[in-house]
Amino acid sequence: MTDNELIWRIAGGSGDGIDSTSQNFAKALMRSGLHVFTHRHYPSRIRGGHTYVEVRAKDEDVQSRGDGYNFLLALGDSFARNPQDEAYYGKEELKPLYENFDDLREGGVLLYDEGLLDEEDVEEIELEEAAEENGWHVVPMDLRGIAKEHGREIMRNTAGIGATAAILDIGTEEFEELIRQNMSGDMQEANLNVLQDAYEAASELDIDHDIEVPEGSHDEEQVILSGSNAISYGALDEGCRFISGYPMTPWTDVFTIMSQHLPEFGGISEQVEDEIAAAALALGASHTGVKAMSGSSGGGFALMSEPLGLAEMTETPIVLVEAMRAGPSTGMPTKPEQADLEHVLYTSQGDSARVVFAPANIRECYTQTRAAFRIAYEYQIPAIVIYDQKIQGELRNLPASHFDEEPNADPGSVLTEEEIQDAAHHASGKFQRFLHEPEDGSNVSPRSVPGQKDGRYLATGNEHTPEGHISEDPNNRIAQMERRLGKLDDIRADLDENASHQAYYGPDEADYGILVWGSQQDTAFEAVDRLNENGHSVKALGVSDMAPYPVEEVSEWLDSVDQALVVEMNATAQFRGLTQKEIGKYGDKLSSLLKYNGNPFEPAEIVDGFESSINGEELAATNMKYLPAAGD
Amino acid sequence: MSAFSAIGDDREIDRDEFTPGIEPQATWCPGCGDFGVLKALKQAMPEVGKNPDEVALFTGIGCSGKLNSYFNSYGFHTIHGRSLPVARAAKLANPELEVIAAGGDGDGYGIGGNHTIHTARENHDMTYIVFNNEIFGLTKGQTSPTSPKGHKSKTQPHGSAKSPIRPLSQQLNAGATYIARTAAVNPNQAKEIIAEAIEHDGFAHIDFLTQCPTWNKDAKHYVPYTDVQQSDEFDFDVSDRKEAAEMMRKTEERLYEGEVLTGRMYVEDERPSYGQEKRAIGEMPEEPLAERYFDEDAEWERTYDNLLEHHK
């Protein structure tokens, strides 16, 4: 598994530029023809601490972060040495070095900044012993010194890249090009010099390692972007021109990207007082005829439950994004988890009708956000895109042509003024917005928007008559409930016909199945390849439609396997519970592999978990939990 | 035909156009002050020349929320305390709409207090009418944020230990640019103030004293009232913040002593509305956003045409 892949980890303190450096590194590798995938790990603090980003590169599509890594660039935490601060930092500057020992593979390379980290301190953490034991190649270099020579210490990141390029023998052309594109003047000059000096200094060292960086080339132009980018671009391509929000990690990413681009697309972004207001604004904009979205993460989404219910009752289309992080309550703000599924499916009072999509990767973040808008506006229903902190921040390359889709600004079933004149009106002159039985036989009663002539109606969160008057009439109640809930069947049929979001992987016929959803899907797919190589017979199904649930599709697939392991990142097997509830059987067929320590699965962990489960052994790893089948 | 031909229609408007017709029957109690708001609002509409299709009325929950049912316009009866954020977005999406929000004292000063402060702070161009009867009516007589200290109710049987909220002073501090108090028992003043508030280009806050004959018998103390603009005793400059603040303090104190002072408390014409501010900094389009969805010639850009460049 160490063949032909590079997993490069850069570690430092939050605020040391780890993120931007890793982005450039990944982009440079992509430009050189490789496939790349990044994985971010960061603490909930602004400056300092221990943060790292991994960049995995292969000559074929990369599906996950992989297992461990083979090259560490440890910059040390520059913020741990603030003399003015009275807080006790201890040996914190060393954290980016020693906290990364666990996953560095045998024979890996460890390059650290001896300009920042004292030799004596490094001795104390027994690096030499650890290196000997694991066959690591330790390379201390004065990266800070090289940076300082050309001006500023902060450029030690660039020095680290230069040294990495020399040690891995990958050349510096792509990095130079990126520096020229992103910087100008003295900064550009200084960074180019630092890059070159560090490259030359490292070239002189004789380091004998066996990491081979693969060579590759792409058939077509590639782009590298995050899940949050893809969700935002999907929304823009669907004609979304209004966003309202309140900052909360990790939702903030989409909110920021949209806020930065909406004015240039003629749209409006509003940062408001709380999440109740945020969702309420999206509702107000949509009611008035604009395609709108809002969103949050767990705690903020909890506040949105009121406006979400109002959107359902008033049949106002909106799209909400829920970016999951570990809970309950404030939980772990910068760590991923898939534990808000039930929250998103069931929050808000009453029998509710909503659509929930869970994109599995960056590709799907774009397509399913588009689908969420299309469904929301065609069927006048709230649609939720649920993803997590993992997809939010990771970068992955895909063909630029993936985004080569026509925009769709259609606000759905909104009538023109001419159409309103011909539509049904109440004796009082009010437009019949909520017909019991719409003329086209569908469950969608077309709407008007304020300002249109003779389109007046009342939208109310109370149960209401066709023109919107509050009503507790039992027959009216039944008619309206049936029509609203009936949309879910129509939407399921629409999705089955036009845009099934489920992803099948592995051989058509297999004894065992892995059932997975959201961000863990592609990692599980990589595990399936390895399991089949190991002689098992396994296939996988990644489910993305959480509501309305694809009962037939999943049932058919489950029928075709003897046993299925449900892989998800939470402690209570929420997706397995949903599957059993929706299908009403297979309780004896579904067991669970769960992880909820704040880190996503690695493919090897799924392989281990699977093998333990079919061999009836206890899981050796303590960071995961196996939950056997429980019956229906 | 344009997408929003109802907007800007300049024919003469009859207030009866705002009566919804045969349905629904009013469910307010006999003698309820809310009838006074409804009447004043309807009377104000011909004065400001608005027709029912260009008015969007947003309400919260409670007796005041029923205003939508008796007022013929586009309506959105939202949820408790949330009428303002919904209304704000409607105004941003289509600034040509006449946006009015209404709610009770629980709605605007209790559960939705946060939104009330922030809407005033941003100075959205809209009118907000708070039906202030110092009681929770529809839930049957509990203490409200404007109930006087010592007010006894089933939920505060020993008498409230809380001082009432001071909505006028609060909204002045928050940034509202038109602030007035009027009363249901004062129909002419109420009509004038609502008309002025609608024409005001900024956030207009009206604390509308209404009586609740069922749950708050004390409400009859709203009679008699004094119009501060008509009384020589209160000669003050309505555009002067300091004088306005002093007037509000008097008004708010004396209300609980049984003297009802009403009228315009603060009017600021200079400050641009939020929409104007947003347009000035390029964060809002010149033409109403909502119109673009009806415009066949509108150009809808694909993101990859410009945004993807950064990702290559």
Side-chain angles (χ1 to χ4, degrees):
Chain A
M1 124 188 32
T2 50
D3 298 336
N4 281 323
E5 70 172 356
L6 169 68
I7 305 183
W8 177 84
R9 181 184 285 194
I10 178 171
S14 282
D16 274 332
I18 303 303
D19 229 24
S20 55
T21 310
S22 65
Q23 284 170 21
N24 278 338
F25 189 76
K27 196 184 250 188
L29 293 181
M30 178 190 80
R31 286 180 175 187
S32 77
L34 292 171
H35 291 268
V36 289
F37 188 105
T38 74
H39 165 69
R40 283 171 83 194
H41 172 102
Y42 60 105
S44 182
R45 72 186 256 190
I46 299 165
R47 293 266 185 246
H50 168 225
T51 177
Y52 70 76
V53 183
E54 270 172 21
V55 180
R56 187 185 190 193
K58 290 167 75 169
D59 56 358
E60 58 184 20
D61 188 30
V62 195
Q63 310 200 77
S64 80
R65 60 181 290 199
D67 310 309
Y69 65 102
N70 53 14
F71 191 113
L72 175 66
L73 169 59
L75 292 172
D77 176 359
S78 71
F79 293 96
R81 294 188 158 205
N82 186 347
Q84 288 164 337
D85 206 311
E86 289 175 9
Y88 175 69
Y89 286 102
K91 296 262 185 269
E92 187 132 300
E93 71 261 36
L94 282 168
K95 268 189 174 178
L97 181 59
Y98 69 80
E99 287 219 344
N100 289 290
F101 285 1
D102 282 353
D103 301 325
L104 180 57
R105 294 182 192 165
E106 273 182 32
V109 172
L110 193 162
L111 165 64
Y112 75 91
D113 185 3
E114 66 174 345
L116 185 81
L117 306 176
D118 289 340
E119 200 182 326
E120 282 172 22
D121 290 340
V122 174
E123 272 169 24
E124 266 180 49
I125 59 169
E126 296 171 356
L127 170 61
E128 255 179 63
E129 291 86 331
E132 202 160 307
E133 206 173 296
N134 294 293
W136 294 337
H137 306 273
V138 178
V139 189
M141 277 184 73
D142 184 7
L143 301 172
R144 183 160 77 154
I146 296 172
K148 268 182 159 175
E149 255 176 58
H150 295 281
R152 293 172 61 199
E153 187 178 326
I154 187 98
M155 293 185 296
R156 63 204 186 91
N157 286 326
T158 306
I161 296 283
T164 300
I167 294 167
L168 292 173
D169 195 21
I170 53 177
T172 56
E173 295 79 14
E174 301 292 352
F175 302 114
E176 286 170 28
E177 183 59 27
L178 277 166
I179 290 172
R180 287 199 186 93
Q181 274 180 11
N182 299 336
M183 297 174 187
S184 58
D186 293 348
M187 279 302 287
Q188 186 193 86
E189 188 70 26
N191 272 282
L192 287 171
N193 289 335
V194 169
L195 185 78
Q196 215 46 52
D197 279 11
Y199 184 86
E200 279 162 21
S203 300
E204 283 166 19
L205 306 168
D206 189 22
I207 306 151
D208 180 28
H209 62 81
D210 39 79
I211 302 171
E212 271 184 49
V213 181
E215 283 181 21
S217 65
H218 300 295
D219 300 336
E220 53 174 317
E221 189 171 35
Q222 302 287 306
V223 286
I224 179 167
L225 68 171
S226 72
S228 300
N229 286 130
I231 285 178
S232 303
Y233 300 166
L236 289 170
D237 278 351
E238 275 303 308
C240 172
R241 292 295 180 270
F242 189 97
I243 193 167
S244 45
Y246 187 88
M248 183 172 183
T249 304
W251 138 261
T252 313
D253 233 28
V254 165
F255 185 36
T256 309
I257 295 166
M258 289 294 282
S259 300
Q260 283 171 351
H261 294 302
L262 269 174
E264 78 194 53
F265 283 89
I268 296 173
S269 164
E270 276 289 285
Q271 182 181 321
V272 295
E273 58 270 25
D274 58 37
E275 285 88 349
I276 307 175
L281 264 100
L283 210 56
S286 179
H287 173 75
T288 316
V290 169
K291 292 175 97 169
M293 81 191 250
S294 184
S296 193
S297 296
F301 189 81
L303 295 187
M304 294 182 165
S305 105
E306 274 186 13
L308 176 66
L310 181 63
E312 294 178 350
M313 191 48 136
T314 58
E315 302 181 57
T316 309
I318 50 168
V319 174
L320 297 177
V321 172
E322 217 265 30
M324 292 181 282
R325 65 192 215 184
S329 192
T330 311
M332 297 196 283
T334 63
K335 300 286 176 273
E337 201 166 81
Q338 294 180 295
D340 289 350
L341 177 60
E342 290 179 347
H343 178 44
V344 159
L345 287 169
Y346 308 125
T347 189
S348 192
Q349 65 272 38
D351 289 319
S352 60
R354 72 193 62 173
V355 180
V356 181
F357 294 134
N361 49 42
I362 290 154
R363 186 181 285 270
E364 292 185 5
C365 280
Y366 176 76
T367 49
Q368 290 184 21
T369 302
R370 294 204 64 165
F373 270 95
R374 180 179 73 80
I375 296 289
Y377 279 80
E378 270 186 38
Y379 293 89
Q380 301 173 3
I381 192 169
I384 301 164
V385 177
I386 180 172
Y387 74 138
D388 65 48
Q389 191 268 349
K390 176 182 179 288
I391 311 184
Q392 172 265 132
E394 73 193 10
L395 300 174
R396 191 171 176 178
N397 68 293
L398 66 168
S401 61
H402 181 62
F403 299 91
D404 205 344
E405 297 278 335
E406 284 304 309
N408 170 35
D410 185 356
S413 45
V414 180
L415 298 178
T416 62
E417 287 201 334
E418 290 91 332
E419 290 165 335
I420 289 171
Q421 300 304 321
D422 297 334
H425 283 73
H426 181 257
S428 65
K430 285 208 170 173
F431 166 67
Q432 301 216 316
R433 160 76 180 91
F434 307 102
L435 292 168
H436 290 167
E437 291 177 356
E439 278 173 27
D440 64 356
S442 79
N443 287 305
V444 178
S445 181
R447 62 187 183 122
S448 60
V449 298
Q452 287 183 312
K453 192 168 185 305
D454 296 330
R456 290 185 311 284
Y457 72 97
L458 175 60
T460 169
N462 288 60
E463 188 55 274
H464 44 265
T465 62
E467 57 279 4
H469 288 312
I470 295 169
S471 166
E472 292 182 356
D473 175 81
N475 293 326
N476 175 71
R477 164 69 173 180
I478 292 170
Q480 299 289 30
M481 279 298 285
E482 287 193 344
R483 191 175 54 75
R484 287 192 298 263
L485 292 175
K487 291 178 190 177
L488 292 175
D489 294 333
D490 301 345
I491 292 168
R492 188 63 258 159
D494 179 326
L495 290 169
D496 286 341
E497 200 171 311
N498 299 311
S500 169
H501 295 135
Q502 283 52 257
Y504 296 85
Y505 197 80
D508 288 345
E509 309 261 328
D511 299 338
Y512 292 96
I514 289 181
L515 189 65
V516 63
W517 71 285
S519 68
Q520 303 311 293
Q521 176 190 290
D522 290 7
T523 313
F525 288 179
E526 188 169 342
V528 164
D529 285 340
R530 295 192 200 172
L531 286 165
N532 286 316
E533 279 165 27
N534 292 357
H536 298 286
S537 168
V538 191
K539 62 181 180 178
L541 175 61
V543 181
S544 290
D545 299 352
M546 300 289 111
Y549 194 85
V551 171
E552 270 184 45
E553 241 184 302
V554 179
S555 297
E556 238 170 67
W557 184 85
L558 282 172
D559 276 336
S560 74
V561 294
D562 296 336
Q563 285 290 316
L565 183 68
V566 189
V567 175
E568 54 185 319
M569 220 176 4
N570 60 56
T572 54
Q574 295 188 15
F575 177 64
R576 169 175 142 188
L578 172 68
T579 303
Q580 275 179 240
K581 170 179 172 284
E582 290 289 339
I583 299 180
K585 55 179 181 176
Y586 298 123
D588 54 352
K589 225 181 211 189
L590 299 171
S591 56
S592 288
L593 184 66
L594 306 168
K595 191 175 178 188
Y596 45 93
N597 68 352
N599 294 307
F601 281 98
E602 294 179 13
E605 291 175 333
I606 299 176
V607 169
D608 289 349
F610 180 89
E611 289 182 336
S612 305
S613 76
I614 61 164
N615 294 332
E617 293 162 4
E618 281 206 14
L619 269 181
T622 54
N623 64 346
M624 299 183 291
K625 181 163 86 179
Y626 175 70
L627 206 65
D632 287 317
Chain B
M1 200 184 275
S2 85
F4 298 102
S5 70
I7 297 175
D9 160 20
D10 59 0
R11 69 190 161 80
E12 205 159 298
I13 310 295
D14 188 305
R15 72 173 168 143
D16 287 341
E17 289 183 47
F18 290 86
T19 301
I22 46 172
E23 276 191 300
Q25 298 297 311
T27 56
W28 284 328
C29 303
C32 177
D34 295 0
F35 287 108
V37 186
L38 176 63
K39 190 175 173 193
L41 182 61
K42 281 187 193 171
Q43 284 178 331
M45 299 324 289
E47 304 228 342
V48 297
K50 298 293 175 189
N51 74 68
D53 283 328
E54 64 185 323
V55 177
L57 174 66
F58 298 82
T59 55
I61 295 298
C63 294
S64 63
K66 296 179 176 179
L67 182 70
N68 268 128
S69 299
Y70 317 134
F71 185 75
N72 187 27
S73 72
Y74 275 97
F76 203 150
H77 178 220
T78 67
I79 37 180
H80 204 190
R82 317 298 170 208
S83 65
L84 284 175
V86 182
R88 266 150 59 183
K91 187 72 188 178
L92 293 169
N94 193 343
E96 293 183 0
L97 281 175
E98 192 53 59
V99 173
I100 301 169
D105 40 288
D107 217 74
Y109 304 145
I111 188 166
N114 193 20
H115 310 308
T116 304
I117 290 170
H118 283 273
T119 311
R121 167 194 164 214
E122 292 169 7
N123 195 31
H124 287 267
D125 180 16
M126 59 174 66
T127 301
Y128 185 37
I129 305 169
V130 179
F131 296 40
N132 181 2
N133 58 9
E134 300 175 16
I135 198 81
F136 284 169
L138 204 54
T139 50
K140 304 200 169 174
Q142 296 81 7
T143 309
S144 98
T146 48
S147 299
K149 192 171 179 184
H151 180 264
K152 284 187 183 177
S153 70
K154 282 182 189 164
T155 50
Q156 285 177 308
H158 305 290
S160 170
K162 302 175 193 186
S163 294
I165 218 159
R166 309 283 169 126
L168 305 174
S169 309
Q170 176 198 286
Q171 288 299 82
L172 180 73
N173 286 330
T177 47
Y178 182 99
I179 303 168
R181 171 171 271 173
T182 189
V185 290
N186 189 2
N188 288 332
Q189 185 205 45
K191 177 196 75 178
E192 278 171 29
I193 281 179
I194 290 177
E196 263 181 32
I198 288 173
E199 287 182 328
H200 176 74
D201 192 10
F203 186 68
H205 185 102
I206 302 171
D207 187 66
F208 204 121
L209 301 171
T210 58
Q211 66 273 20
C212 179
T214 306
W215 296 109
N216 193 4
K217 305 285 187 210
D218 296 341
K220 60 180 177 297
H221 70 215
Y222 293 155
V223 184
Y225 63 88
T226 306
D227 184 326
V228 296
Q229 265 82 31
Q230 289 174 1
S231 165
D232 296 338
E233 192 197 336
F234 305 104
D235 179 32
F236 76 107
D237 180 356
V238 80
S239 66
D240 185 296
R241 265 191 104 81
K242 250 177 127 176
E243 290 185 27
E246 177 55 22
M247 190 61 227
M248 287 176 189
R249 191 187 61 76
K250 273 186 206 150
T251 309
E252 288 172 331
E253 258 169 30
R254 291 196 196 175
L255 179 66
Y256 294 99
E257 289 159 7
E259 186 184 7
V260 185
L261 307 179
T262 64
R264 298 142 192 86
M265 300 291 160
Y266 184 61
V267 182
E268 182 186 342
D269 286 324
E270 300 300 309
R271 189 180 159 197
S273 71
Y274 185 63
Q276 287 171 314
E277 300 266 25
K278 249 179 120 69
R279 278 177 168 159
I281 58 169
E283 281 199 347
M284 194 165 141
E286 286 299 324
E287 297 301 316
L289 188 49
E291 239 171 41
R292 203 159 359 140
Y293 293 87
F294 293 91
D295 180 0
E296 285 177 8
D297 299 329
E299 283 187 19
W300 293 89
E301 291 166 83
R302 292 178 289 199
T303 56
Y304 75 89
D305 285 342
N306 48 8
L307 298 182
L308 283 192
E309 280 306 312
H310 305 290
H311 302 286
K312 285 177 180 167

